[in-house]
Amino acid sequence: MYRRASAGRKKVLGSDHQYTIKSFNDLALLLEIRKKNDKAEIAHQHAPEERGEPLRPGDADTPSSFSSTGGKPSSQNEHAEAEVASQPHHPQILLSVDSPAASLPVQRMHGEEEIMYRDALEAMESALGPEHQDTLNSMNMLGETLLDLKKYNEAEATIRRAVAGREKILGPVHRDTLISANNLAVALCKQKKHDEAEDMYRRALMGAERTLGRHHQDTLMCVYNLAGALHKQGWHHEAELMYWRALGGREKILGSGHRHTLWSVTKLGAILHDQGKHSAAEIMYRRAVADGVKYLGVHDGLTLKSVKCLAMFLQSRASTAPNKVPQSR
């Protein structure tokens, strides 16, 4: 019904009429809700993996202080500011690469969202102008959807426009600007443009520290994302310091059993391993497994991921260990 209303109003009233824009907005919101429900259902069957991901206002995986009316397109700004929980990109729900068929419902949903956000953006640019806040909101959401569809080059171009517009209209440290800056960094990372991604993550971190303080959970998320970018570039020492900072803050604020804390433990194990600090790395990997079993359960996806990381570490260390010469009696 929403599709029919949107198509009909566009045909009769034009793409820039307020009722047409409202219809596109309602349909986009519906698609977003359906997508979340699909992801939540699939999450019970497949292991999650944490990664640098777009921040989504109104998403349960997005930091509450980064939420805003800018998360979804709206011609009248009628929707209330959504409350959002913590993340670090968090663990965002991912579908197992071992079960590609499970991703099809979500991929179809992303494709539908792309069409609707493109239509909404076109209508809003025509009716409201390219720098109106609602236009920029729709632009950011389209960029996020393009990220979900792995159209990284196009996502980068779209989100760059959102960053520039939001910085001009809202200022460089406004939460919506920080959201778009983080999303741009994700798009850059996915294209292996790690140096530029690092700059964007640092920008998001500086803004979060200024706006929220050094110890806020959303600031810690930015710390975690920056650590990942540094790790990918081989800047191991600074990456380790950032991971330690993220872990210490998350333990204090979220607790030892929170998924974000457990991901920080695992990532610390990885960075320590890469630096040849094998004893310290093993401690972290074993801790991730033990805490995963204790707080999440043996069959939880994150626990299973931690077990796999520990097994791979032990296998790697065993294969590189010097052969022991048996002593004669």
Side-chain angles (χ1 to χ4, degrees), residues 108-169:
R108 284 196 295 268
M109 197 66 62
H110 291 328
E112 293 175 335
E113 284 184 332
E114 179 187 1
I115 295 171
M116 295 314 303
Y117 285 136
R118 286 189 186 280
D119 287 344
L121 178 57
E122 179 184 354
M124 289 178 184
E125 283 189 300
S126 176
L128 306 175
E131 294 183 345
H132 190 279
Q133 187 169 349
D134 288 338
T135 303
L136 296 172
N137 297 342
S138 186
M139 194 179 298
N140 187 74
M141 289 303 297
L142 173 59
E144 292 176 0
T145 300
L146 291 169
L147 284 175
D148 290 331
L149 290 168
K150 305 185 187 304
K151 298 181 179 181
Y152 301 128
N153 185 61
E154 191 174 0
E156 176 189 344
T158 301
I159 298 171
R160 280 191 188 278
R161 291 183 60 199
V163 171
R166 284 178 162 178
E167 184 174 43
K168 179 178 179 180
I169 302 301

Side-chain angles (χ1 to χ4, degrees), residues 10-299:
K10 182 178 181 180
K11 181 177 181 180
V12 175
L13 302 175
S15 62
D16 59 348
H17 193 281
Q18 61 176 338
Y19 289 157
T20 306
I21 297 174
K22 182 66 165 61
S23 293
F24 282 126
N25 175 62
D26 291 341
L27 181 54
L29 291 176
L30 177 62
L31 289 170
E32 185 74 9
I33 292 171
R34 284 175 56 193
K35 180 180 70 173
K36 290 179 190 176
N37 291 338
D38 284 348
K39 282 188 174 182
E41 181 178 354
I42 293 169
H44 292 289
Q45 306 172 15
H46 302 280
E49 180 178 344
E50 189 174 32
R51 58 178 180 165
E53 284 291 337
L55 302 181
R56 307 175 193 276
D59 192 321
D61 289 328
T62 313
S64 58
S65 56
F66 278 176
S67 66
S68 73
T69 57
K72 305 288 189 296
S74 169
S75 61
Q76 304 296 328
N77 266 341
E78 295 171 344
H79 56 283
E81 181 174 68
E83 179 180 0
V84 229
S86 61
Q87 182 241 313
H89 248 295
H90 41 106
Q92 178 79 303
I93 297 173
L94 290 184
L95 304 180
S96 171
V97 295
D98 297 324
S99 302
S103 68
L104 293 178
V106 176
Q107 287 298 318
R108 284 196 295 268
M109 197 66 62
H110 291 328
E112 293 175 335
E113 284 184 332
E114 179 187 1
I115 295 171
M116 295 314 303
Y117 285 136
R118 286 189 186 280
D119 287 344
L121 178 57
E122 179 184 354
M124 289 178 184
E125 283 189 300
S126 176
L128 306 175
E131 294 183 345
H132 190 279
Q133 187 169 349
D134 288 338
T135 303
L136 296 172
N137 297 342
S138 186
M139 194 179 298
N140 187 74
M141 289 303 297
L142 173 59
E144 292 176 0
T145 300
L146 291 169
L147 284 175
D148 290 331
L149 290 168
K150 305 185 187 304
K151 298 181 179 181
Y152 301 128
N153 185 61
E154 191 174 0
E156 176 189 344
T158 301
I159 298 171
R160 280 191 188 278
R161 291 183 60 199
V163 171
R166 284 178 162 178
E167 184 174 43
K168 179 178 179 180
I169 302 301
L170 304 174
V173 296
H174 189 279
R175 55 195 174 190
D176 286 358
T177 307
L178 298 178
I179 287 172
S180 293
N182 180 87
N183 293 349
L184 177 55
V186 173
L188 292 167
C189 268
K190 294 301 183 181
Q191 299 174 85
K192 302 188 184 304
K193 301 177 181 179
H194 298 304
D195 186 61
E196 190 176 359
E198 176 191 342
D199 290 341
M200 295 307 300
Y201 278 135
R202 288 190 186 277
R203 174 177 170 181
L205 174 57
M206 291 177 63
E209 287 179 328
R210 176 177 170 183
T211 305
L212 308 172
R214 286 178 53 84
H215 305 293
H216 192 280
Q217 61 184 9
D218 302 344
T219 305
L220 296 173
M221 178 206 63
C222 294
V223 171
Y224 180 97
N225 283 347
L226 175 57
L230 292 167
H231 193 175
K232 287 181 174 69
Q233 294 180 87
W235 302 110
H236 292 154
H237 179 67
E238 187 178 2
E240 179 187 343
L241 294 178
M242 287 291 178
Y243 278 134
W244 277 116
R245 177 181 168 185
L247 174 59
R250 285 174 165 178
E251 280 183 311
K252 183 176 181 180
I253 295 173
L254 303 175
S256 299
H258 195 280
R259 289 179 180 273
H260 304 168
T261 305
L262 295 175
W263 269 113
S264 296
V265 174
T266 300
K267 291 296 187 179
L268 257 175
I271 194 68
L272 291 167
H273 183 195
D274 287 345
Q275 295 177 90
K277 302 177 181 179
H278 295 150
S279 296
E282 182 175 352
I283 291 173
M284 285 297 164
Y285 281 132
R286 291 189 181 278
R287 174 183 165 181
V289 172
D291 286 352
V293 171
K294 178 179 179 180
Y295 294 108
L296 305 179
V298 177
H299 302 293

